[in-house]
Amino acid sequence: MDEDGLPIVGSGIDLTKVPAIQQKRTVAFLNQFVVHTVQFLNHFSTVCEEKLSALSLRIQQIETTLNILDAKLSSIPGLEDVKFEVSSANMNSVTNGPVAQATTDQQTQNNICEEGLQKMEVVTENVRTVAKDPRYARYLKMVQVGVPVMAIRNKMIFEGLNPDLLE
């Protein structure tokens, strides 16, 4: 026996002689559990729906901004001759993890650097291209330094520049 007078090894109670828990009490516990679970799930679904609604609104705003940016870019003379390629790796690859994302970003950065260097060699002196445009110069430098491409693209979108021209 311990200091409270309870046996150390077992309870010492014959459970066959203990009366069963009342059914009303069991039903009350079960009802309380169901009510709290339903309240939690309702609250959770409401929060998720609000977040999805806000995300949908943000996507619509970004699409509108992108359309405005596209209209502004199409109104600038001299950009008709600018050519850029959209790599299929960026458009089709969906990764689900930091390691795969890091390797994809590194490959994309290497491809962009190589393409940027090739474009710089091909460009003639009197034609103004994206590589020579001072607005895009710092973004090209960021790519060469190794800043993640998605961060650069987001910054370009934020400042009203076309991130597709980065490639």
Side-chain angles (χ1 to χ4, degrees), residues 21-77:
I21 299 176
Q22 298 173 358
Q23 284 185 341
K24 289 182 181 181
R25 192 170 184 185
T26 304
V27 170
F29 285 137
L30 186 62
N31 283 341
Q32 181 183 10
F33 171 76
V34 170
V35 167
H36 285 293
T37 303
V38 168
Q39 287 175 346
F40 168 76
L41 291 174
N42 284 338
H43 176 70
F44 179 75
S45 67
T46 303
V47 169
C48 288
E49 190 168 340
E50 289 173 358
K51 288 184 178 188
L52 282 174
S53 175
L55 185 62
S56 176
L57 178 64
R58 181 71 180 134
I59 288 173
Q60 288 176 352
Q61 291 172 343
I62 289 173
E63 286 176 347
T64 303
T65 305
L66 183 63
N67 288 335
I68 292 170
L69 179 63
D70 188 32
K72 286 181 180 180
L73 282 175
S74 64
S75 68
I76 298 174

Side-chain angles (χ1 to χ4, degrees), residues 1 8 16 20 32 49 52 63 75 87 89 95 109 111 115-116 126-127 130 134-135 148 152 159 165 167:
M1 298 265 182
I8 296 175
T16 58
Q32 181 183 10
E49 190 168 340
L52 282 174
E63 286 176 347
S75 68
S87 63
T95 58
Q109 290 174 4
N111 291 341
E115 290 174 8
N126 52 353
V127 176
V130 175
R135 297 177 297 172
I152 298 171
E159 292 185 2
L165 297 178
E167 299 176 10

Side-chain angles (χ1 to χ4, degrees), residues 123-165:
V123 173
T124 60
E125 291 296 321
N126 52 353
V127 176
R128 186 170 183 176
T129 62
V130 175
K132 290 186 177 182
D133 191 338
R135 297 177 297 172
Y136 290 92
R138 73 181 203 170
Y139 299 109
L140 293 173
K141 181 69 175 173
M142 287 178 175
V143 170
Q144 292 171 353
V145 171
V147 177
V149 176
M150 291 307 297
I152 298 171
R153 292 177 65 88
N154 289 339
K155 181 72 173 170
M156 290 176 75
I157 290 171
F158 180 73
E159 292 185 2
L161 298 173
N162 186 358
D164 293 332
L165 297 178

Side-chain angles (χ1 to χ4, degrees), residues 115-126:
E115 290 174 8
L117 291 175
Q118 290 173 356
K119 287 180 183 179
M120 286 183 195
E121 293 171 359
V122 173
V123 173
T124 60
E125 291 296 321
N126 52 353

